[in-house]
Amino acid sequence: MKLAILCSGRGSDLQSIIDSIQRGELQAEIEVVITDKPNVQALDRAAKAGIKNICVDRKNFSSREDFEKEILKNLSEIDLVILAGFMRILSPEFVKKFSGRLMNIHPSLLPSFPGAHAHRDVLAYGVKVSGCTVHFVDEGTDSGPIILQSAVEVLDDDTEETLSARVLEQEHKIYPQAIKLFVEGKLKIEGRKVKILN
Ligand code: GAR
């Protein structure tokens, strides 16, 4: 199974997937890592693991269509596209092309707190429990069918940094798990629901 991973920055979720493959837990190959920004840690992590890595700098493209066309050039052989901290909204056309084989991880318990500032929004609202969600991507924002979630307690003295660090520990567990389920053919999408087969 051939994976492509799209990132925008640090790439710790990417690293958790690389590590899971290297430990032999996940039987898949990362064909390419693509970032939308130059000089980000995700590119270094891919290079260090010997994975082809490409920056498709959004700043060099006047439209989202052209930007996505460039990304698509690298995805013709790919079975599963994984968004790992990729901070851009993909077009409905792109999403349709990879329907059922495009995954994202979001740092809250969806459908609560979608969007780009989940931890800030969680703390401002005052919820006692947050977490992370792996889901298939549909044409909405953070709205697709949910594959796995993990909950994390929100502490009174949490900051965005402390909460994010604890949520990331869970992200690094459930993202490789969700990908493994996909690779093993154990995920069945039925409307809004994702059934996990035995
Ligand atoms: C992760 O917390 C991921 O859930 C989040 O960005 C972070 C990326 O960290 N994604 C989103 O907020 C998507 N809306 P990383 O670059 O270290 O993997």
Side-chain angles (χ1 to χ4, degrees), residues 8 13 15 27 32 39 45 47 51 58 61 66 106 111 113 130-131 143 148 151 154 161 166-167 186 188-189 194-195:
S8 293
D13 284 325
Q15 190 67 53
Q27 309 289 325
V32 64
N39 307 316
R45 291 182 193 267
I51 299 164
R58 179 65 181 86
F61 298 86
D66 289 347
H106 182 76
F113 309 109
S130 188
S143 59
L148 292 177
V154 180
E161 289 68 34
R166 290 202 313 289
V167 171
K186 292 185 174 166
K188 189 163 178 233
I189 305 174
V194 180
K195 274 201 177 150

PDB file of all heavy atoms in Angstrom, residues 8 13 15 27 32 39 45 47 51 58 61 66 106 111 113 130-131 143 148 151 154 161 166-167 186 188-189 194-195:
ATOM      1  N   SER A   8       2.487  20.634   6.927  1.00  0.00           N
ATOM      2  CA  SER A   8       2.807  22.062   6.820  1.00  0.00           C
ATOM      3  C   SER A   8       3.946  22.498   7.738  1.00  0.00           C
ATOM      4  O   SER A   8       4.436  23.620   7.604  1.00  0.00           O
ATOM      5  CB  SER A   8       1.575  22.912   7.155  1.00  0.00           C
ATOM      6  OG  SER A   8       0.573  22.745   6.195  1.00  0.00           O
ATOM      7  N   ASP A  13       3.358  14.148  13.712  1.00  0.00           N
ATOM      8  CA  ASP A  13       2.428  13.075  13.306  1.00  0.00           C
ATOM      9  C   ASP A  13       3.058  12.243  12.191  1.00  0.00           C
ATOM     10  O   ASP A  13       2.968  11.005  12.208  1.00  0.00           O
ATOM     11  CB  ASP A  13       1.088  13.663  12.843  1.00  0.00           C
ATOM     12  CG  ASP A  13       0.208  14.119  14.011  1.00  0.00           C
ATOM     13  OD1 ASP A  13       0.239  13.463  15.073  1.00  0.00           O
ATOM     14  OD2 ASP A  13      -0.495  15.122  13.862  1.00  0.00           O
ATOM     15  N   GLN A  15       6.170  11.727  11.821  1.00  0.00           N
ATOM     16  CA  GLN A  15       7.202  10.905  12.469  1.00  0.00           C
ATOM     17  C   GLN A  15       6.590   9.657  13.106  1.00  0.00           C
ATOM     18  O   GLN A  15       7.176   8.572  13.048  1.00  0.00           O
ATOM     19  CB  GLN A  15       7.938  11.733  13.531  1.00  0.00           C
ATOM     20  CG  GLN A  15       9.177  11.049  14.082  1.00  0.00           C
ATOM     21  CD  GLN A  15      10.265  10.906  13.021  1.00  0.00           C
ATOM     22  OE1 GLN A  15      10.651  11.880  12.394  1.00  0.00           O
ATOM     23  NE2 GLN A  15      10.750   9.689  12.815  1.00  0.00           N
ATOM     24  N   GLN A  27       2.280  -2.097   7.755  1.00  0.00           N
ATOM     25  CA  GLN A  27       2.837  -2.611   6.491  1.00  0.00           C
ATOM     26  C   GLN A  27       2.435  -1.679   5.361  1.00  0.00           C
ATOM     27  O   GLN A  27       1.398  -1.870   4.729  1.00  0.00           O
ATOM     28  CB  GLN A  27       2.284  -4.012   6.206  1.00  0.00           C
ATOM     29  CG  GLN A  27       2.400  -4.992   7.352  1.00  0.00           C
ATOM     30  CD  GLN A  27       3.835  -5.425   7.587  1.00  0.00           C
ATOM     31  OE1 GLN A  27       4.602  -5.548   6.648  1.00  0.00           O
ATOM     32  NE2 GLN A  27       4.184  -5.629   8.845  1.00  0.00           N
ATOM     33  N   VAL A  32       5.924   9.463  -0.739  1.00  0.00           N
ATOM     34  CA  VAL A  32       6.326  10.865  -0.834  1.00  0.00           C
ATOM     35  C   VAL A  32       5.740  11.663   0.334  1.00  0.00           C
ATOM     36  O   VAL A  32       4.645  11.369   0.809  1.00  0.00           O
ATOM     37  CB  VAL A  32       5.869  11.465  -2.202  1.00  0.00           C
ATOM     38  CG1 VAL A  32       4.357  11.492  -2.345  1.00  0.00           C
ATOM     39  CG2 VAL A  32       6.447  12.850  -2.443  1.00  0.00           C
ATOM     40  N   ASN A  39      11.499  24.692   3.994  1.00  0.00           N
ATOM     41  CA  ASN A  39      12.310  24.698   5.224  1.00  0.00           C
ATOM     42  C   ASN A  39      11.549  24.291   6.477  1.00  0.00           C
ATOM     43  O   ASN A  39      11.745  24.868   7.539  1.00  0.00           O
ATOM     44  CB  ASN A  39      12.909  26.095   5.474  1.00  0.00           C
ATOM     45  CG  ASN A  39      13.662  26.599   4.265  1.00  0.00           C
ATOM     46  OD1 ASN A  39      14.415  25.842   3.651  1.00  0.00           O
ATOM     47  ND2 ASN A  39      13.435  27.845   3.887  1.00  0.00           N
ATOM     48  N   ARG A  45      12.532  15.416   8.454  1.00  0.00           N
ATOM     49  CA  ARG A  45      12.197  14.096   9.002  1.00  0.00           C
ATOM     50  C   ARG A  45      12.089  13.070   7.873  1.00  0.00           C
ATOM     51  O   ARG A  45      12.551  11.938   8.008  1.00  0.00           O
ATOM     52  CB  ARG A  45      10.864  14.158   9.754  1.00  0.00           C
ATOM     53  CG  ARG A  45      10.904  14.969  11.047  1.00  0.00           C
ATOM     54  CD  ARG A  45       9.525  14.887  11.675  1.00  0.00           C
ATOM     55  NE  ARG A  45       9.288  15.831  12.745  1.00  0.00           N
ATOM     56  CZ  ARG A  45       9.487  15.581  14.037  1.00  0.00           C
ATOM     57  NH1 ARG A  45       9.985  14.433  14.417  1.00  0.00           N
ATOM     58  NH2 ARG A  45       9.195  16.491  14.955  1.00  0.00           N
ATOM     59  N   ALA A  47      13.500  13.265   4.851  1.00  0.00           N
ATOM     60  CA  ALA A  47      14.839  13.055   4.270  1.00  0.00           C
ATOM     61  C   ALA A  47      15.639  12.092   5.141  1.00  0.00           C
ATOM     62  O   ALA A  47      16.295  11.174   4.637  1.00  0.00           O
ATOM     63  CB  ALA A  47      15.553  14.397   4.142  1.00  0.00           C
ATOM     64  N   ILE A  51      12.948   9.145   2.654  1.00  0.00           N
ATOM     65  CA  ILE A  51      11.675   9.240   1.909  1.00  0.00           C
ATOM     66  C   ILE A  51      11.738  10.454   0.984  1.00  0.00           C
ATOM     67  O   ILE A  51      12.178  11.543   1.398  1.00  0.00           O
ATOM     68  CB  ILE A  51      10.485   9.390   2.889  1.00  0.00           C
ATOM     69  CG1 ILE A  51      10.396   8.172   3.817  1.00  0.00           C
ATOM     70  CG2 ILE A  51       9.185   9.602   2.135  1.00  0.00           C
ATOM     71  CD1 ILE A  51       9.516   8.394   5.035  1.00  0.00           C
ATOM     72  N   ARG A  58       3.020  27.045  -1.608  1.00  0.00           N
ATOM     73  CA  ARG A  58       1.747  27.681  -2.009  1.00  0.00           C
ATOM     74  C   ARG A  58       1.973  29.099  -2.540  1.00  0.00           C
ATOM     75  O   ARG A  58       1.224  29.559  -3.413  1.00  0.00           O
ATOM     76  CB  ARG A  58       0.788  27.701  -0.800  1.00  0.00           C
ATOM     77  CG  ARG A  58      -0.554  28.352  -1.060  1.00  0.00           C
ATOM     78  CD  ARG A  58      -1.382  27.576  -2.071  1.00  0.00           C
ATOM     79  NE  ARG A  58      -2.674  28.193  -2.352  1.00  0.00           N
ATOM     80  CZ  ARG A  58      -2.882  29.140  -3.263  1.00  0.00           C
ATOM     81  NH1 ARG A  58      -1.883  29.594  -3.999  1.00  0.00           N
ATOM     82  NH2 ARG A  58      -4.103  29.633  -3.452  1.00  0.00           N
ATOM     83  N   PHE A  61       2.122  29.815  -6.362  1.00  0.00           N
ATOM     84  CA  PHE A  61       0.978  29.533  -7.234  1.00  0.00           C
ATOM     85  C   PHE A  61      -0.099  30.590  -7.031  1.00  0.00           C
ATOM     86  O   PHE A  61      -0.421  30.932  -5.897  1.00  0.00           O
ATOM     87  CB  PHE A  61       0.407  28.138  -6.929  1.00  0.00           C
ATOM     88  CG  PHE A  61       1.407  27.044  -7.183  1.00  0.00           C
ATOM     89  CD1 PHE A  61       2.308  26.679  -6.185  1.00  0.00           C
ATOM     90  CD2 PHE A  61       1.489  26.421  -8.415  1.00  0.00           C
ATOM     91  CE1 PHE A  61       3.266  25.699  -6.412  1.00  0.00           C
ATOM     92  CE2 PHE A  61       2.435  25.438  -8.656  1.00  0.00           C
ATOM     93  CZ  PHE A  61       3.336  25.079  -7.657  1.00  0.00           C
ATOM     94  N   ASP A  66      -3.995  25.583  -9.399  1.00  0.00           N
ATOM     95  CA  ASP A  66      -2.639  25.317  -9.901  1.00  0.00           C
ATOM     96  C   ASP A  66      -1.778  24.638  -8.828  1.00  0.00           C
ATOM     97  O   ASP A  66      -0.982  23.745  -9.116  1.00  0.00           O
ATOM     98  CB  ASP A  66      -1.970  26.619 -10.352  1.00  0.00           C
ATOM     99  CG  ASP A  66      -2.598  27.142 -11.632  1.00  0.00           C
ATOM    100  OD1 ASP A  66      -3.350  26.376 -12.269  1.00  0.00           O
ATOM    101  OD2 ASP A  66      -2.364  28.321 -11.970  1.00  0.00           O
ATOM    102  N   HIS A 106      -7.264  15.684  13.545  1.00  0.00           N
ATOM    103  CA  HIS A 106      -7.615  17.003  14.077  1.00  0.00           C
ATOM    104  C   HIS A 106      -7.482  16.961  15.601  1.00  0.00           C
ATOM    105  O   HIS A 106      -7.922  15.999  16.233  1.00  0.00           O
ATOM    106  CB  HIS A 106      -9.040  17.374  13.662  1.00  0.00           C
ATOM    107  CG  HIS A 106      -9.423  18.719  14.148  1.00  0.00           C
ATOM    108  ND1 HIS A 106      -8.967  19.887  13.551  1.00  0.00           N
ATOM    109  CD2 HIS A 106     -10.177  19.111  15.204  1.00  0.00           C
ATOM    110  CE1 HIS A 106      -9.431  20.919  14.214  1.00  0.00           C
ATOM    111  NE2 HIS A 106     -10.167  20.477  15.222  1.00  0.00           N
ATOM    112  N   PRO A 111     -17.436  16.441  16.557  1.00  0.00           N
ATOM    113  CA  PRO A 111     -17.544  17.689  15.812  1.00  0.00           C
ATOM    114  C   PRO A 111     -17.308  18.952  16.629  1.00  0.00           C
ATOM    115  O   PRO A 111     -17.533  20.054  16.121  1.00  0.00           O
ATOM    116  CB  PRO A 111     -18.983  17.637  15.288  1.00  0.00           C
ATOM    117  CG  PRO A 111     -19.721  16.905  16.350  1.00  0.00           C
ATOM    118  CD  PRO A 111     -18.770  15.854  16.844  1.00  0.00           C
ATOM    119  N   PHE A 113     -15.122  21.897  18.117  1.00  0.00           N
ATOM    120  CA  PHE A 113     -13.880  22.648  17.878  1.00  0.00           C
ATOM    121  C   PHE A 113     -13.145  22.291  16.577  1.00  0.00           C
ATOM    122  O   PHE A 113     -11.969  21.925  16.597  1.00  0.00           O
ATOM    123  CB  PHE A 113     -12.943  22.510  19.087  1.00  0.00           C
ATOM    124  CG  PHE A 113     -13.642  22.830  20.376  1.00  0.00           C
ATOM    125  CD1 PHE A 113     -13.948  21.829  21.287  1.00  0.00           C
ATOM    126  CD2 PHE A 113     -14.037  24.129  20.659  1.00  0.00           C
ATOM    127  CE1 PHE A 113     -14.633  22.117  22.465  1.00  0.00           C
ATOM    128  CE2 PHE A 113     -14.727  24.424  21.832  1.00  0.00           C
ATOM    129  CZ  PHE A 113     -15.019  23.426  22.734  1.00  0.00           C
ATOM    130  N   SER A 130     -10.947  17.009  26.126  1.00  0.00           N
ATOM    131  CA  SER A 130     -10.696  17.232  24.702  1.00  0.00           C
ATOM    132  C   SER A 130     -10.069  15.959  24.135  1.00  0.00           C
ATOM    133  O   SER A 130     -10.293  14.878  24.683  1.00  0.00           O
ATOM    134  CB  SER A 130      -9.806  18.463  24.489  1.00  0.00           C
ATOM    135  OG  SER A 130      -9.742  18.753  23.105  1.00  0.00           O
ATOM    136  N   GLY A 131      -9.263  16.082  23.084  1.00  0.00           N
ATOM    137  CA  GLY A 131      -8.670  14.875  22.520  1.00  0.00           C
ATOM    138  C   GLY A 131      -8.336  15.064  21.062  1.00  0.00           C
ATOM    139  O   GLY A 131      -8.018  16.165  20.628  1.00  0.00           O
ATOM    140  N   SER A 143     -15.174  17.636   8.883  1.00  0.00           N
ATOM    141  CA  SER A 143     -16.543  17.143   9.044  1.00  0.00           C
ATOM    142  C   SER A 143     -16.769  15.710   8.552  1.00  0.00           C
ATOM    143  O   SER A 143     -17.878  15.205   8.629  1.00  0.00           O
ATOM    144  CB  SER A 143     -17.504  18.074   8.303  1.00  0.00           C
ATOM    145  OG  SER A 143     -17.159  18.119   6.928  1.00  0.00           O
ATOM    146  N   LEU A 148     -11.279   7.055  14.306  1.00  0.00           N
ATOM    147  CA  LEU A 148     -10.865   6.806  15.696  1.00  0.00           C
ATOM    148  C   LEU A 148     -10.806   8.137  16.448  1.00  0.00           C
ATOM    149  O   LEU A 148     -10.500   9.180  15.857  1.00  0.00           O
ATOM    150  CB  LEU A 148      -9.461   6.183  15.755  1.00  0.00           C
ATOM    151  CG  LEU A 148      -9.258   4.755  15.232  1.00  0.00           C
ATOM    152  CD1 LEU A 148      -7.775   4.375  15.334  1.00  0.00           C
ATOM    153  CD2 LEU A 148     -10.106   3.739  16.000  1.00  0.00           C
ATOM    154  N   ALA A 151      -9.608  10.512  23.967  1.00  0.00           N
ATOM    155  CA  ALA A 151      -9.941  11.632  24.852  1.00  0.00           C
ATOM    156  C   ALA A 151      -8.785  11.966  25.787  1.00  0.00           C
ATOM    157  O   ALA A 151      -8.017  11.085  26.188  1.00  0.00           O
ATOM    158  CB  ALA A 151     -11.178  11.289  25.664  1.00  0.00           C
ATOM    159  N   VAL A 154      -8.838  17.905  30.227  1.00  0.00           N
ATOM    160  CA  VAL A 154      -8.326  19.286  30.202  1.00  0.00           C
ATOM    161  C   VAL A 154      -8.130  19.715  31.659  1.00  0.00           C
ATOM    162  O   VAL A 154      -9.049  19.614  32.473  1.00  0.00           O
ATOM    163  CB  VAL A 154      -9.326  20.234  29.499  1.00  0.00           C
ATOM    164  CG1 VAL A 154      -8.773  21.655  29.475  1.00  0.00           C
ATOM    165  CG2 VAL A 154      -9.622  19.752  28.075  1.00  0.00           C
ATOM    166  N   GLU A 161       0.006  25.040  24.978  1.00  0.00           N
ATOM    167  CA  GLU A 161       1.195  24.189  24.830  1.00  0.00           C
ATOM    168  C   GLU A 161       1.061  22.888  25.626  1.00  0.00           C
ATOM    169  O   GLU A 161       1.344  21.809  25.111  1.00  0.00           O
ATOM    170  CB  GLU A 161       2.461  24.941  25.294  1.00  0.00           C
ATOM    171  CG  GLU A 161       2.911  26.062  24.369  1.00  0.00           C
ATOM    172  CD  GLU A 161       1.954  27.252  24.337  1.00  0.00           C
ATOM    173  OE1 GLU A 161       1.337  27.566  25.389  1.00  0.00           O
ATOM    174  OE2 GLU A 161       1.813  27.855  23.261  1.00  0.00           O
ATOM    175  N   ARG A 166      -0.118  16.888  25.453  1.00  0.00           N
ATOM    176  CA  ARG A 166      -0.804  15.643  25.863  1.00  0.00           C
ATOM    177  C   ARG A 166      -1.674  15.083  24.749  1.00  0.00           C
ATOM    178  O   ARG A 166      -1.775  13.874  24.580  1.00  0.00           O
ATOM    179  CB  ARG A 166      -1.632  15.868  27.143  1.00  0.00           C
ATOM    180  CG  ARG A 166      -0.772  16.080  28.384  1.00  0.00           C
ATOM    181  CD  ARG A 166      -1.511  15.770  29.670  1.00  0.00           C
ATOM    182  NE  ARG A 166      -2.828  16.358  29.735  1.00  0.00           N
ATOM    183  CZ  ARG A 166      -3.080  17.668  29.875  1.00  0.00           C
ATOM    184  NH1 ARG A 166      -2.081  18.521  29.969  1.00  0.00           N
ATOM    185  NH2 ARG A 166      -4.311  18.113  29.929  1.00  0.00           N
ATOM    186  N   VAL A 167      -2.318  15.973  23.978  1.00  0.00           N
ATOM    187  CA  VAL A 167      -3.137  15.490  22.859  1.00  0.00           C
ATOM    188  C   VAL A 167      -2.240  14.844  21.801  1.00  0.00           C
ATOM    189  O   VAL A 167      -2.587  13.800  21.236  1.00  0.00           O
ATOM    190  CB  VAL A 167      -3.992  16.633  22.266  1.00  0.00           C
ATOM    191  CG1 VAL A 167      -4.669  16.194  20.969  1.00  0.00           C
ATOM    192  CG2 VAL A 167      -5.048  17.099  23.277  1.00  0.00           C
ATOM    193  N   LYS A 186      -9.882  -2.913   6.856  1.00  0.00           N
ATOM    194  CA  LYS A 186     -10.853  -3.109   7.940  1.00  0.00           C
ATOM    195  C   LYS A 186     -11.803  -1.928   8.153  1.00  0.00           C
ATOM    196  O   LYS A 186     -12.555  -1.908   9.127  1.00  0.00           O
ATOM    197  CB  LYS A 186     -10.111  -3.419   9.237  1.00  0.00           C
ATOM    198  CG  LYS A 186      -9.423  -4.775   9.192  1.00  0.00           C
ATOM    199  CD  LYS A 186      -8.795  -5.127  10.502  1.00  0.00           C
ATOM    200  CE  LYS A 186      -8.240  -6.540  10.470  1.00  0.00           C
ATOM    201  NZ  LYS A 186      -7.350  -6.802  11.597  1.00  0.00           N
ATOM    202  N   LYS A 188     -14.929   0.341   6.838  1.00  0.00           N
ATOM    203  CA  LYS A 188     -16.037   0.370   5.889  1.00  0.00           C
ATOM    204  C   LYS A 188     -16.867   1.623   6.169  1.00  0.00           C
ATOM    205  O   LYS A 188     -17.401   1.788   7.278  1.00  0.00           O
ATOM    206  CB  LYS A 188     -16.883  -0.893   6.092  1.00  0.00           C
ATOM    207  CG  LYS A 188     -17.924  -1.062   5.036  1.00  0.00           C
ATOM    208  CD  LYS A 188     -18.445  -2.508   5.026  1.00  0.00           C
ATOM    209  CE  LYS A 188     -19.525  -2.642   3.985  1.00  0.00           C
ATOM    210  NZ  LYS A 188     -20.761  -3.211   4.524  1.00  0.00           N
ATOM    211  N   ILE A 189     -16.929   2.504   5.164  1.00  0.00           N
ATOM    212  CA  ILE A 189     -17.688   3.745   5.340  1.00  0.00           C
ATOM    213  C   ILE A 189     -19.145   3.475   4.984  1.00  0.00           C
ATOM    214  O   ILE A 189     -19.445   2.991   3.901  1.00  0.00           O
ATOM    215  CB  ILE A 189     -17.138   4.869   4.430  1.00  0.00           C
ATOM    216  CG1 ILE A 189     -15.645   5.089   4.671  1.00  0.00           C
ATOM    217  CG2 ILE A 189     -17.905   6.171   4.653  1.00  0.00           C
ATOM    218  CD1 ILE A 189     -14.987   6.084   3.725  1.00  0.00           C
ATOM    219  N   VAL A 194     -18.129   5.031  10.214  1.00  0.00           N
ATOM    220  CA  VAL A 194     -17.067   4.141   9.747  1.00  0.00           C
ATOM    221  C   VAL A 194     -17.112   2.895  10.621  1.00  0.00           C
ATOM    222  O   VAL A 194     -16.920   2.971  11.838  1.00  0.00           O
ATOM    223  CB  VAL A 194     -15.681   4.809   9.857  1.00  0.00           C
ATOM    224  CG1 VAL A 194     -14.600   3.849   9.368  1.00  0.00           C
ATOM    225  CG2 VAL A 194     -15.633   6.107   9.053  1.00  0.00           C
ATOM    226  N   LYS A 195     -17.413   1.772   9.980  1.00  0.00           N
ATOM    227  CA  LYS A 195     -17.432   0.503  10.726  1.00  0.00           C
ATOM    228  C   LYS A 195     -16.025  -0.076  10.726  1.00  0.00           C
ATOM    229  O   LYS A 195     -15.337  -0.076   9.692  1.00  0.00           O
ATOM    230  CB  LYS A 195     -18.371  -0.492  10.057  1.00  0.00           C
ATOM    231  CG  LYS A 195     -19.787  -0.341  10.508  1.00  0.00           C
ATOM    232  CD  LYS A 195     -20.558  -1.625  10.249  1.00  0.00           C
ATOM    233  CE  LYS A 195     -21.969  -1.479  10.780  1.00  0.00           C
ATOM    234  NZ  LYS A 195     -22.911  -2.293  10.006  1.00  0.00           N
TER     235      LYS A 195
END
